[in-house]
Amino acid sequence: MKIGEILFMSKQFSKAADELSRVAQLANQLKAPVQERAACALLAQAHGAQKNFEAALQFATRTLQLSQQLKFEQVMAADFYSVGLFNLLQNKPSEAVAFFKQASSRVASGGNPGFLKELYFNMGQALLQIGEKGAAEQSLQNAIKPAVEAKDVQKSRIAYQQLGDLAHARNEISKSSEMYNNALRIAKESNDKEAQKDIKRRMKDLKIG
């Protein structure tokens, strides 16, 4: 397991996956679910890093199954999120939403902002893809505070832009303008000139100031 972890940490993802696969198979044969779960969790990430999303989903699903079997409640939110994410990355937004909702129901208020911004932002993307605009808006709103706390300027900026688009679609021009100006402020603060141009162009198209 240690070799697989070292390879993973050094970003040798293909070699890490080969090593971790052997560990997972051996742990399964020895009926050692804790070790198998640890290997499968890293395998999901290793395959995800290589954009092998089908394999990543397979190992994320196995990780979740083992966590449920072991009653590892403290990692269940992250495991449900991983399965949701790899469904989303395979263009399966409906399936992704179901797992994201399970993750959301298990997160503690005031939890890790780095995790919360990923969960709510990606749940917002999945909800937008299936046309659940109201739920998407709530999820995107939930993503902004942890994204700001985690200093993820890209996700906070995109979330504000998407909230602006949703407000504009309801003809709430003042709200749309507020959201876009928040996005523009973030782009200026992060000195992202390309994003500033794109936002200004979009605001002009939407006729908002």
Side-chain angles (χ1 to χ4, degrees):
M1 183 72 183
K2 286 291 180 190
I3 295 170
E5 288 177 348
I6 291 166
L7 289 166
F8 180 84
M9 293 302 291
S10 62
K11 298 186 177 181
Q12 297 182 59
F13 298 120
S14 181
K15 289 180 181 178
D18 290 341
E19 179 64 27
L20 291 163
S21 185
R22 283 192 286 273
V23 173
Q25 287 172 2
L26 181 60
N28 180 271
Q29 290 165 6
L30 295 173
K31 300 195 186 313
V34 174
Q35 289 78 6
E36 185 185 354
R37 187 208 164 275
C40 285
L42 276 177
L43 268 166
Q45 293 182 55
H47 282 295
Q50 297 175 87
K51 302 191 186 304
N52 298 331
F53 298 133
E54 189 173 348
L57 177 58
Q58 175 191 337
F59 287 109
T61 301
R62 180 59 179 158
T63 303
L64 175 59
Q65 289 170 346
L66 289 164
S67 293
Q68 290 172 319
Q69 178 186 319
L70 292 160
K71 295 183 169 55
F72 279 4
E73 291 296 330
Q74 70 274 19
V75 295
M76 213 80 83
D79 290 350
F80 273 108
Y81 168 76
S82 291
V83 178
L85 178 64
F86 292 124
N87 269 294
L88 180 60
L89 291 169
Q90 289 191 88
N91 299 312
K92 298 175 182 176
S94 295
E95 292 88 337
V97 166
F99 286 100
F100 287 150
K101 285 181 177 177
Q102 288 281 355
S104 179
S105 72
R106 287 169 168 78
V107 295
S109 58
N112 182 329
F115 175 68
L116 293 177
K117 52 114 175 167
E118 296 293 331
L119 169 59
Y120 289 123
F121 181 84
N122 284 310
M123 182 156 66
Q125 305 314 303
L127 287 161
L128 283 174
Q129 287 181 31
I130 62 174
E132 292 191 18
K133 293 180 180 179
E137 188 164 19
Q138 184 61 60
S139 194
L140 290 167
Q141 286 170 349
N142 290 342
I144 288 172
K145 184 182 176 187
V148 170
E149 288 175 358
K151 295 182 171 54
D152 189 333
V153 294
Q154 185 180 39
K155 281 192 173 62
S156 52
R157 173 175 56 75
I158 292 171
Y160 273 127
Q161 287 179 251
Q162 290 178 325
L163 287 168
D165 288 337
L166 288 165
H168 196 275
R170 294 193 305 271
N171 207 32
E172 293 181 9
I173 306 305
S174 177
K175 177 76 177 289
S176 179
S177 177
E178 178 191 348
M179 295 298 102
Y180 261 94
N181 275 297
N182 282 333
L184 184 58
R185 171 180 53 78
I186 290 169
K188 286 178 178 176
E189 288 172 356
S190 59
N191 200 29
D192 188 334
K193 298 211 176 342
E194 280 304 310
Q196 290 176 52
K197 282 184 199 172
D198 290 342
I199 292 167
K200 287 175 181 176
R201 191 181 304 118
R202 179 67 177 152
M203 290 174 76
K204 186 178 179 182
D205 290 343
L206 294 174
K207 296 183 173 62
I208 58 176

